[in-house]
Amino acid sequence: YNVRVVLPASMGAILTLKPITADYNSIGLEILHLLMHILVGEAWFYSLHHMLRLKIFNKFHKKHPEIPNTGGLLALYARPLDTIVVNMGSMYALHAMFGISALQLFIVGSYAIIHMVLQNHFGTVSKSPFQLHHLGLKTMDKLCKTRAIRADSE
């Protein structure tokens, strides 16, 4: 549902409200936008995802981590609000604020697929689905000193 309906509909709405106006920008601007998407996107996702694991919000979020299989496309098994706000929110917000080129949309979309679907939700590292499933958050866990909290919640 999220892949076939929610993502295309939300992306269509965002691009209708603020259309892409350039196929590509200068190399410097493209690199700057890419770095913004990676840095802001990681912090955005980490912060919101960590917040949703708190007891007060977990009833809305628990649909996603309840699946022990950590296969790639199951990264999008979540409520539509999670998909739009948590997974795609930073991309939508950055586009609304700064506008992105068609090339940047392709690069960021490709990065998101590789990072989220293939890297963070693929392979076997541990018997704990939560640790395996959120492998990519290690950097943010180290920065925010939340690794111990995550280990306790598994």
Side-chain angles (χ1 to χ4, degrees), residues 49-97:
H49 194 250
H50 186 68
M51 183 184 76
L52 288 175
R53 297 221 8 103
L54 298 174
K55 203 175 256 188
I56 191 170
F57 298 111
N58 198 44
K59 67 180 177 180
F60 301 107
H61 178 67
K62 68 182 177 183
K63 180 178 183 178
H64 178 62
E66 74 187 7
I67 298 177
N69 181 339
T70 57
L73 284 179
L74 290 175
L76 296 172
Y77 179 76
R79 296 183 191 276
L81 187 62
D82 281 344
T83 300
I84 294 169
V85 175
V86 179
N87 293 354
M88 299 298 292
S90 66
M91 184 175 164
Y92 293 164
L94 287 171
H95 175 63
M97 289 187 292

Side-chain angles (χ1 to χ4, degrees), residues 33-136:
H33 281 176
L34 179 60
L35 290 174
M36 283 179 12
H37 277 284
I38 292 170
L39 296 173
V40 171
E42 285 295 314
W44 176 289
F45 178 84
Y46 174 84
S47 300
L48 289 176
H49 194 250
H50 186 68
M51 183 184 76
L52 288 175
R53 297 221 8 103
L54 298 174
K55 203 175 256 188
I56 191 170
F57 298 111
N58 198 44
K59 67 180 177 180
F60 301 107
H61 178 67
K62 68 182 177 183
K63 180 178 183 178
H64 178 62
E66 74 187 7
I67 298 177
N69 181 339
T70 57
L73 284 179
L74 290 175
L76 296 172
Y77 179 76
R79 296 183 191 276
L81 187 62
D82 281 344
T83 300
I84 294 169
V85 175
V86 179
N87 293 354
M88 299 298 292
S90 66
M91 184 175 164
Y92 293 164
L94 287 171
H95 175 63
M97 289 187 292
F98 303 108
I100 60 173
S101 67
L103 175 63
Q104 191 66 215
L105 181 64
F106 173 76
I107 291 170
V108 171
S110 299
Y111 171 80
I113 290 168
I114 291 166
H115 184 65
M116 176 182 63
V117 175
L118 300 179
Q119 180 186 359
N120 289 357
H121 290 82
F122 189 77
T124 303
V125 174
S126 160
K127 290 182 181 179
S128 168
F130 187 75
Q131 182 185 12
L132 170 64
H133 167 113
H134 295 94
L135 191 59

